[in-house]
Amino acid sequence: MLSTNDIRAKFLNFFKSKNHSIVASDSLVPKDDPTVLFTTAGMQQFKPQFLGRDLTYTRASTCQKCLRTDDLDVVGKTDFHHTFFEMLGNFSFGDYFKKEAIAWAWEFLTGELKLPKDRLWVSVYKDDEEAYGIWLNDIKQPKERIVKLGDKSNFWPSNARLNGPNGPCGPCSEIFYDYGVNPNCPNGAQCDPDCSCGRFSEVWNLVFTQFNRKDGGVLEPLPAKNIDTGMGLERLVAVVQGKKSNYETDNFTAILSVIKETVKSNSGTMT
Ligand code: GLY
């Protein structure tokens, strides 16, 4: 069975073989970015590259330590949400764009990790015919497993077009793993990746960063088109290890068994 460490290494090696510079994770409190308190995504340390201010390299890949509080209300209630997590990512700064980003994501999941193709669904931004066409015609993804979603789900940052924040943003395409019909889902077999019943785990978000949002919701085209992808390592590991919950993977079982033992051995001394 592939471990969390194996999967992280496989991802970075795969993108190294596609001529990406492998860059270390940035600090959880970003060094030079007064717009955010914590690092919430792999792209954050690359803002100068996305804005065309630093082109030391045009392709990079990372495993970034992240802290997110925007979905704090569901942490502990679902199998897939965390506050702290690791995010795998590959980035293009004015180099490759949608065609390569989609093809390499598919090659990594189905070729390197050998995930069954019929378990993978994708979503695209409702107006992004280019991404839709690549999935349908190049990848040969059946149209029954491609869904078109709106600004909340398929624009990154979520709803940025309407609500901000300012900075690099764009439409995105997500890849989901289908755990099979949830008998308790009110939508039954008609359920799709927009449903929150737990049938679908969103594993990878491919963001086509082509705008710089400014005050008033102005979307200024960036000097060059970019790619920013984010894949939650813990979710991917759950899928690869055949677990429904991130907390049942090798990354957590050792920690949880120490906690269980500690609680058991201290329970007699608690008042
Ligand atoms: N930067 C892409 C993501 O966080 O999903």
Side-chain angles (χ1 to χ4, degrees):
M1 183 181 76
L2 290 174
S3 68
T4 298
N5 287 342
D6 295 333
I7 294 169
R8 189 191 297 104
K10 253 185 182 298
F11 181 88
L12 296 173
N13 282 333
F14 178 80
F15 282 101
K16 193 170 172 193
S17 79
K18 308 287 185 201
N19 299 321
H20 287 60
S21 298
I22 307 304
V23 179
S25 172
D26 195 17
S27 152
L28 261 193
V29 177
K31 285 188 291 290
D32 301 313
D33 189 348
T35 68
V36 285
L37 193 54
F38 296 113
T39 299
T40 58
M43 58 76 65
Q44 271 174 229
Q45 69 165 316
F46 297 115
K47 282 189 187 174
Q49 284 82 358
F50 281 120
L51 294 170
R53 294 183 191 142
D54 175 355
L55 290 178
T56 318
Y57 40 70
T58 59
R59 297 179 181 194
S61 184
T62 56
C63 181
Q64 174 65 52
K65 300 180 199 72
C66 296
L67 197 144
R68 278 190 187 178
T69 53
D70 50 351
D71 40 22
L72 193 58
D73 52 326
V74 288
V75 174
K77 294 183 186 162
T78 76
D79 289 331
F80 334 106
H81 285 89
H82 302 274
T83 44
F84 173 80
F85 60 98
E86 293 181 66
M87 183 182 282
L88 302 167
N90 57 291
F91 307 91
S92 158
F93 313 114
D95 188 318
Y96 62 88
F97 201 44
K98 296 182 189 180
K99 222 175 162 66
E100 294 86 347
I102 291 174
W104 289 339
W106 194 250
E107 183 184 339
F108 181 70
L109 294 177
T110 62
E112 292 287 312
L113 298 182
K114 305 204 170 9
L115 295 182
K117 292 182 181 167
D118 59 358
R119 288 270 168 175
L120 298 174
W121 288 54
V122 301
S123 66
V124 294
Y125 183 59
K126 59 184 174 45
D127 301 328
D128 191 350
E129 289 305 324
E130 188 186 359
Y132 185 86
I134 296 169
W135 280 114
L136 190 69
N137 303 319
D138 298 0
I139 306 295
K140 313 279 184 229
Q141 174 76 342
K143 58 176 180 302
E144 299 71 38
R145 292 202 297 274
I146 309 177
V147 292
K148 293 185 174 180
L149 301 176
D151 281 275
K152 184 166 184 299
S153 304
N154 275 79
F155 203 89
W156 202 89
S158 176
N159 266 332
R161 224 168 51 89
L162 309 166
N163 303 336
N166 287 346
C169 62
C172 62
S173 177
E174 296 180 317
I175 306 176
F176 299 80
Y177 184 79
D178 179 4
Y179 278 102
V181 177
N182 174 351
N184 300 319
C185 175
N187 299 317
Q190 304 314 314
C191 163
D192 73 22
D194 211 22
C195 179
S196 55
C197 74
R199 168 173 170 183
F200 294 97
S201 171
E202 178 207 319
V203 284
W204 206 341
N205 186 13
L206 315 179
V207 185
F208 312 125
T209 314
Q210 54 199 88
F211 303 114
N212 182 25
R213 185 192 194 273
K214 300 200 132 173
D215 286 346
V218 176
L219 293 183
E220 190 181 75
L222 286 166
K225 293 176 179 171
N226 307 293
I227 291 295
D228 154 27
T229 85
M231 175 152 62
L233 177 65
E234 295 79 0
R235 290 186 184 180
L236 177 66
V237 171
V239 166
V240 173
Q241 295 184 354
K243 305 291 185 193
K244 186 74 205 296
S245 162
N246 295 2
Y247 298 97
E248 291 167 11
T249 62
D250 71 320
N251 205 15
F252 288 94
T253 43
I255 302 170
L256 289 174
S257 70
V258 172
I259 293 173
K260 272 189 211 155
E261 282 311 308
T262 309
V263 169
K264 220 189 290 165
S265 57
N266 287 335
S267 57
T269 62
M270 287 167 79
T271 53

